């Protein structure tokens, strides 16, 4: 027995010792693995860029009557920074705006240089727009892009520049060791080709190489902080931001902005980022089905009341508050979404790619008078383009179409995020140059086997440009596919600027409607100097283009760059190279089609500014960038684009004064929620307040509208705000030039709502006759949601 006990003790001690050393080995191995995997510093940030929600023309459809009058949900600048420790940095900014602006880029870079010295500059900073057609315009510097907004709009410009800078500052301050993973997959039901007749003019042998006439692939980067875990994702997928129509007047990020909201809220409910001491909480519950409206909720969630009568009695004790003044705009920032100390917030961006001929209106194009399909070649109905519209999956509800296309992108991104396993490894590099596209010599193989030299042209827009697209038709008697022109409209165009014979010949077969590249009064109407840029993060290569490439144009550019990278990189790039196109980057120069598509002169061909060889010029110059990237050579910066800020003219009148009827205060309820009301998920509740022009204060990073839930019997907690897809802020005047105005807040109650007592609250700012700004708020009577 004694011998057995001694043996047992010896065995126990030996086992403990073995386990101790095994644990040390495992610990060392894990630490070593973490250190070796954390080859990058990563940081993400985001900031509000919503802009003026009243009177300003929206950028995208060029519809002078489409003026902002409220908020569907807020717009953001989202940024990521990737750096090698002690080495190169790259910044990518995804902008909830129609496109990037040369002037915005110039001013952002100036600020970054002042703040960080030489770390961030035009070489390694990318600013890319998602192409929503529901954001305020007036922030670009060339005349043709700001005509409908009555020129330059300082508020639109300033809020974007400020928001981009603040998002980059956040990302820089969040730089921490972490890893990046890349994944890709097909998303089949969020895009169709809106100019299929032009696509089919590409060589049949080329078209036959591809299964679809649009790119269906989404590429996603997953960012994982060493301590906090997953902190964000950026993905690229081609589909237009035109789920919201040309008659919409609410500021909206359209389908890509909606997808970003859904994914960021999903990540928050999943507990991302977690952190070493955070408590994991799955808001959906184990095995529960993801709701159609994922969203973030406030930190305190009261339990639903079991006694309905008590709940109704409690609600009836809270009548409309009446309008009251606030000490400052700080009181307005009662937002649902807020940071948590030093914990970074999850940032998810849905970036644009080669979307030139890609529409989210996936049901097809139909004539609004007959309901029949539109003409295939010209997208007309009895010869009229105005009658042909594409239909989204939620037709006839454009908000539902926006939600569905956004949700489809979100679900695919979530799947790619959850299954991402390919780690990004390798150096961080970049190449950038400016090119004058107005007379660029382009060399490419001729049919006879030699080299052929052609030139690009000064910018010009063709007749089919004015026809618009099936996402937003134009007016009058223009039509897509017009390669002849119209004598009357030619005369009108010539009154602005008659193109030279050389320009007419260079742009053939495009009939020139507006010779924008040669129009210089009061300043340049169109850009001629464009930036092109390559960003490399390991095996991921981002081609940053200042326009909208069509599907086949994008494929040709990617293939050309991939050939250069894989054939001359000494093995650095192999079959796993991931090349994506970041469209609408750094400035805007409209469309880029293939040579064959240009001949058809659909809308995209007529909007390819620099003539039929534009794509060949891009391919030539990007191949130079790619060669410089793999060889380690520098590249000449090229001619600098103009800074036209001092020449800008803005004709939009400012706010003169806000008033209310006698005896009424700003924030008072005009139309209240019905007394003793009870609502259920899926229902809609609304209240209208006496308000003031939203241009008095953009309430950046604040909110105009709020749904509050009662916690206990006295405390109101923010539950939904301007950032929520289910809440809409609509602003209006009783007459066009009235100094009085209303704010209607509509809440479409989501299925995930918590039962309880709620109320609607409005925030705003009024302007006196002497110019002083006063902030105010008001709330509706309380109501019950079950």
């Amino acid at each position: 027995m004694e011998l057995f006990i001694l043996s047992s003790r010896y065995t126990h001690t030996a086992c403990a010792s073995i386990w101790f050393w095994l644990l040390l080995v495992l610990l060392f191995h894990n630490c070593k693995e973490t250190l070796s995997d954390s080859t990058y510093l990563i940081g993400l940030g985001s900031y509000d860029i919503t802009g003026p929600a009243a009177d300003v023309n929206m950028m995208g459809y060029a519809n002078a009557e489409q003026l902002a009058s409220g908020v569907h949900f807020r717009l953001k600048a989202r940024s990521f920074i990737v750096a090698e420790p002690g080495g190169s940095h790259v910044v990518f900014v995804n902008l909830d705006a129609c496109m990037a602006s040369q002037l915005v880029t110039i001013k952002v870079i100036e600020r970054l240089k002042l703040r960080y010295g030489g770390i961030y500059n035009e070489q390694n900073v990318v600013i890319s727009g998602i192409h929503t057609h529901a954001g305020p315009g007036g922030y670009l510097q060339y005349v043709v892009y700001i005509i409908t907004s009555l020129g330059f709009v300082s508020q639109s410009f300033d809020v974007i520049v400020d928001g981009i800078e603040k998002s980059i500052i956040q990302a820089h301050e969040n730089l921490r060791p972490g890893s990046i993973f890349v994944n890709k997959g097909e998303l089949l039901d969020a895009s169709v080709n809106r100019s299929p007749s032009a696509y089919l003019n590409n060589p049949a042998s080329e078209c036959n190489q591809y299964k679809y006439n649009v790119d269906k692939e989404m590429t996603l980067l997953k960012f994982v902080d060493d301590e906090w875990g997953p902190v964000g994702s950026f993905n690229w997928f081609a589909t237009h931001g035109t789920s919201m129509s040309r008659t919409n007047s609410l500021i909206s990020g359209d389908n890509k902005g909606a997808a970003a909201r859904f994914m960021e809220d999903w990540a928050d409910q999943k507990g991302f980022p977690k952190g070493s001491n955070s408590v994991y909480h799955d808001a959906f519950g184990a095995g529960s089905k993801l709701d159609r409206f994922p969203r973030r909720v406030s930190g305190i969630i009261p339990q639903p009341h079991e006694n309905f009568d008590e709940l109704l009695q409690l609600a009836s004790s809270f009548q409309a508050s009446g309008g009251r003044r606030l000490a400052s705009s700080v009181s307005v920032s009662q937002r649902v979404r807020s940071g948590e100390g030093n914990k970074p917030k999850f940032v998810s961006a849905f970036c644009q790619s080669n979307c030139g001929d890609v529409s989210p209106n996936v049901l097809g194009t139909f004539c609004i008078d007959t309901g029949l399909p539109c003409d295939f070649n010209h997208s007309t109905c009895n010869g009229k383009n105005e009658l042909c519209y594409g239909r989204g999956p939620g037709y006839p509800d454009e908000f539902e179409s926006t939600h569905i296309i956004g949700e489809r992108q979100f679900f695919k991104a979530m799947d790619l995020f959850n299954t991402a396993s390919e780690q990004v490894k390798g150096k961080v590099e970049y190449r950038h140059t400016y090119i004058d596209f107005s007379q660029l010599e382009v060399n490419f193989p001729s049919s006879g086997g030699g080299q052929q030299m052609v030139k690009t042209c000064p910018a010009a827009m063709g007749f089919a440009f004015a026809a618009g697209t099936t996402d937003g038709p134009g007016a009058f008697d223009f039509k897509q596919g017009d390669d002849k022109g119209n004598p009357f409209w030619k005369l009108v165009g010539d009154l602005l600027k008659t193109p030279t014979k050389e320009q007419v010949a260079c742009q053939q077969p495009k009939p020139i409607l507006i010779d924008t590249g040669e129009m210089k009064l009061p300043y340049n109407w169109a850009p001629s100097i464009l930036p092109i840029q390559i960003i490399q993060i390991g095996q991921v290569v981002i081609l940053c283009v200042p326009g909208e490439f069509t599907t086949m144009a994008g494929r040709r550019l990617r293939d050309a760059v991939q050939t250069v990278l894989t054939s001359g990189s000494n093995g650095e790039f192999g079959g796993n190279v991931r090349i994506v196109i970041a469209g609408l980057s750094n400035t805007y120069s409209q469309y880029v089609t293939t040579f064959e598509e240009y001949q058809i002169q659909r809308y995209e061909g007529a909007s390819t500014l620099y003539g039929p060889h534009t794509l060949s010029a891009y391919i030539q110059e990007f191949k130079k960038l790619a060669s410089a990237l793999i060889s380690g050579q520098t590249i000449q910066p090229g001619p600098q684009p103009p800074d036209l800020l001092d020449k800008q003219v803005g004709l939009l009148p400012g706010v003169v004064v806000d008033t209310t009827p006698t005896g009424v205060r700003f924030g008072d309820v005009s139309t209240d929620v019905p007394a003793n009301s009870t609502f259920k998920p899926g229902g809609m509740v609304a209240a209208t307040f006496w308000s003031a022009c939203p241009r008095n204060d953009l309430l950046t990073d604040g909110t105009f509208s709020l749904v509050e839930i009662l916690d206990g019997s006295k405390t109101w907690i923010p539950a939904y705000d301007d950032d929520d897809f289910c809440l809409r802020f609509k602003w209006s005047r009783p007459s066009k030039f009235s100094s009085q105005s209303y704010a209607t807040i509509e809440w479409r109650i989501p299925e995930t709502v918590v039962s309880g007592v709620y109320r609607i609250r409005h925030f705003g700012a009024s302007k006196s006759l002497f110019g002083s700004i006063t902030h105010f708020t008001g709330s509706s009577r309380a109501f019950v949601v079950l």
Side-chain angles (χ1 to χ4, degrees), residues 575-624:
N576 69 332
V577 60
R578 307 291 182 224
I579 300 179
V580 296
I581 290 177
L584 307 117
S585 293
N586 299 324
T587 190
Y588 183 61
S589 58
Q590 294 177 244
Y591 286 76
V592 179
T593 65
T594 67
F595 178 86
E596 295 83 358
E597 291 166 350
Y598 187 90
Q599 308 307 306
I600 300 299
Q601 281 297 293
R602 296 278 298 217
Y603 173 83
E604 295 81 13
S607 303
T608 296
L609 296 183
Y610 309 104
H613 304 293
T614 300
L615 175 60
S616 295
Y618 273 104
I619 290 174
Q620 171 182 281
E621 299 306 313
F622 263 101
K623 287 170 70 174
K624 294 178 183 178

Side-chain angles (χ1 to χ4, degrees), residues 533-720:
Q533 186 177 27
I534 291 182
I535 296 293
Q536 178 192 353
I537 307 170
Q539 69 267 35
V540 177
V541 176
I542 305 173
L543 310 182
C544 310
V545 298
E548 303 173 59
F549 277 54
T550 61
T551 298
M552 195 63 83
R555 288 168 175 169
R556 290 184 187 178
L557 178 62
R558 288 198 304 264
D559 289 347
V561 171
Q562 182 167 354
T563 298
V564 172
L565 294 179
T566 55
S567 63
S569 62
N570 297 320
E572 179 183 355
F573 293 102
N576 69 332
V577 60
R578 307 291 182 224
I579 300 179
V580 296
I581 290 177
L584 307 117
S585 293
N586 299 324
T587 190
Y588 183 61
S589 58
Q590 294 177 244
Y591 286 76
V592 179
T593 65
T594 67
F595 178 86
E596 295 83 358
E597 291 166 350
Y598 187 90
Q599 308 307 306
I600 300 299
Q601 281 297 293
R602 296 278 298 217
Y603 173 83
E604 295 81 13
S607 303
T608 296
L609 296 183
Y610 309 104
H613 304 293
T614 300
L615 175 60
S616 295
Y618 273 104
I619 290 174
Q620 171 182 281
E621 299 306 313
F622 263 101
K623 287 170 70 174
K624 294 178 183 178
L625 287 188
S627 295
L629 185 75
I630 59 177
S631 65
Q633 296 178 341
T634 59
I635 196 160
Q636 293 299 313
Q640 291 295 304
D643 179 343
L644 301 177
L645 182 59
D646 292 340
K647 296 185 177 182
Q648 296 300 312
V649 176
L651 302 178
L652 178 69
V655 180
V656 178
V657 66
D658 295 292
T659 64
T660 59
T662 303
V664 173
R665 295 171 296 179
F666 291 106
D668 279 356
V669 174
S670 171
T671 303
D672 206 349
V673 178
N676 301 316
S677 295
T678 301
F679 299 89
K680 293 184 178 181
M684 197 269 279
V685 56
T688 301
F689 301 83
W690 287 100
S691 191
C693 185
R695 285 195 285 154
N696 294 325
D697 188 331
L698 305 184
L699 301 188
T700 302
D701 216 30
T703 187
F704 290 105
S705 51
L706 196 65
V707 172
E708 297 177 313
I709 185 171
L710 186 64
D711 178 34
S713 59
K714 295 182 180 179
T715 306
W716 290 98
I717 301 170
Y720 300 85

Side-chain angles (χ1 to χ4, degrees), residues 101-111 139-142 152 157 434 523-524 529 639-648:
S101 155
Q102 184 69 75
L103 190 57
V104 167
T105 302
I106 289 171
K107 296 308 176 184
V108 168
I109 296 300
E110 286 180 359
R111 292 189 183 189
Y139 63 94
L140 291 93
Q141 72 171 351
Y142 296 104
F152 190 70
F157 176 80
Y434 291 109
Y523 46 89
N524 295 359
I529 299 172
Q640 291 295 304
D643 179 343
L644 301 177
L645 182 59
D646 292 340
K647 296 185 177 182
Q648 296 300 312

Side-chain angles (χ1 to χ4, degrees), residues 60-101:
Y61 288 115
N63 175 15
E65 297 179 355
Q66 188 188 14
L67 303 180
S69 62
V71 177
H72 180 204
F73 57 88
R74 287 191 167 257
L75 310 180
K76 293 290 184 67
R78 295 175 170 88
S79 301
F80 74 72
I81 298 176
V82 178
E84 294 179 281
S88 298
H89 291 58
V90 293
V91 182
F92 190 97
V93 182
N94 188 60
L95 206 61
D96 282 354
C98 194
M99 66 281 291
S101 155

Side-chain angles (χ1 to χ4, degrees), residues 15-248:
C15 288
S17 178
I18 291 171
W19 279 111
F20 172 78
W21 287 108
L22 281 174
L23 286 171
L24 280 180
V25 170
L26 287 171
L27 181 62
F28 175 79
H29 175 75
N30 288 335
C31 289
K32 182 179 179 181
E33 184 177 66
T34 300
L35 290 172
S36 64
D37 286 349
S38 301
T39 53
Y40 301 120
L41 298 176
I42 60 173
L44 291 90
S46 67
Y47 203 79
D48 187 9
I49 59 164
T50 300
D55 301 327
V56 176
N57 183 247
M58 289 183 164
M59 183 65 202
Y61 288 115
N63 175 15
E65 297 179 355
Q66 188 188 14
L67 303 180
S69 62
V71 177
H72 180 204
F73 57 88
R74 287 191 167 257
L75 310 180
K76 293 290 184 67
R78 295 175 170 88
S79 301
F80 74 72
I81 298 176
V82 178
E84 294 179 281
S88 298
H89 291 58
V90 293
V91 182
F92 190 97
V93 182
N94 188 60
L95 206 61
D96 282 354
C98 194
M99 66 281 291
S101 155
Q102 184 69 75
L103 190 57
V104 167
T105 302
I106 289 171
K107 296 308 176 184
V108 168
I109 296 300
E110 286 180 359
R111 292 189 183 189
L112 294 177
K113 287 180 178 179
L114 286 173
R115 180 178 292 272
Y116 297 111
I119 298 178
Y120 304 118
N121 51 59
E122 60 274 359
Q123 296 281 326
N124 62 353
V125 176
V126 186
I127 302 173
S128 175
I130 64 170
H131 211 37
T132 175
H133 286 41
Y139 63 94
L140 291 93
Q141 72 171 351
Y142 296 104
V143 173
V144 75
Y145 305 131
I146 56 176
I147 290 176
T148 57
S149 61
L150 299 180
F152 190 70
V153 180
S154 295
Q155 275 190 319
S156 295
F157 176 80
D158 291 341
V159 75
I160 291 176
V161 173
D162 291 344
I164 294 172
E165 181 189 24
K166 287 182 170 64
S167 74
I168 293 175
I169 290 172
Q170 279 186 25
H172 182 82
E173 292 177 347
N174 287 334
L175 277 174
R176 298 156 51 85
S179 303
I180 307 172
F181 298 86
V182 62
N183 202 2
K184 65 177 183 177
E186 284 190 344
L187 173 56
L188 301 180
D189 54 357
S191 57
V192 294
N193 196 304
R194 70 184 186 188
S195 294
S197 60
Y199 178 89
L200 289 174
N201 203 48
N202 292 305
S205 58
E206 184 179 31
C207 294
N208 291 337
Q209 296 176 33
Y210 302 97
K211 187 176 180 180
Y212 306 104
N213 62 1
V214 295
D215 283 339
K216 298 287 188 178
E217 188 171 88
M218 176 184 286
T219 301
L220 178 137
L221 294 182
K222 175 179 180 178
F223 298 92
V224 182
D225 184 285
D226 279 358
E227 177 183 358
W228 296 108
V231 291
S233 67
F234 277 56
N235 72 74
W236 290 263
F237 176 77
T239 193
H240 246 78
T242 49
S243 292
M244 302 295 289
S245 74
R246 67 193 301 271
T247 60
N248 163 63

Side-chain angles (χ1 to χ4, degrees), residues 272-321:
F272 299 143
K274 298 177 184 179
S276 56
N277 298 315
S278 66
V279 178
Y280 180 84
H281 174 67
D282 184 351
F284 302 119
S288 64
K289 183 180 179 182
L290 183 63
D291 184 79
R292 297 175 68 241
F293 288 89
R295 62 166 306 282
R296 217 171 304 200
V297 295
S298 55
I300 303 175
I301 302 179
Q303 295 300 314
H305 291 254
E306 295 181 359
N307 191 321
F308 168 71
D309 292 333
E310 290 182 6
L311 201 63
L312 197 60
Q313 184 177 359
L314 184 60
S316 66
S317 66
F318 291 94
Q319 298 301 308
S321 67

Side-chain angles (χ1 to χ4, degrees), residues 490-491 493-501 504 515 518-519:
K490 184 179 184 301
L491 177 62
D494 287 350
L495 291 175
L496 294 172
K497 172 69 174 66
T498 302
T500 63
K501 291 182 179 179
V504 171
D515 191 18
E518 298 183 314
M519 296 168 66

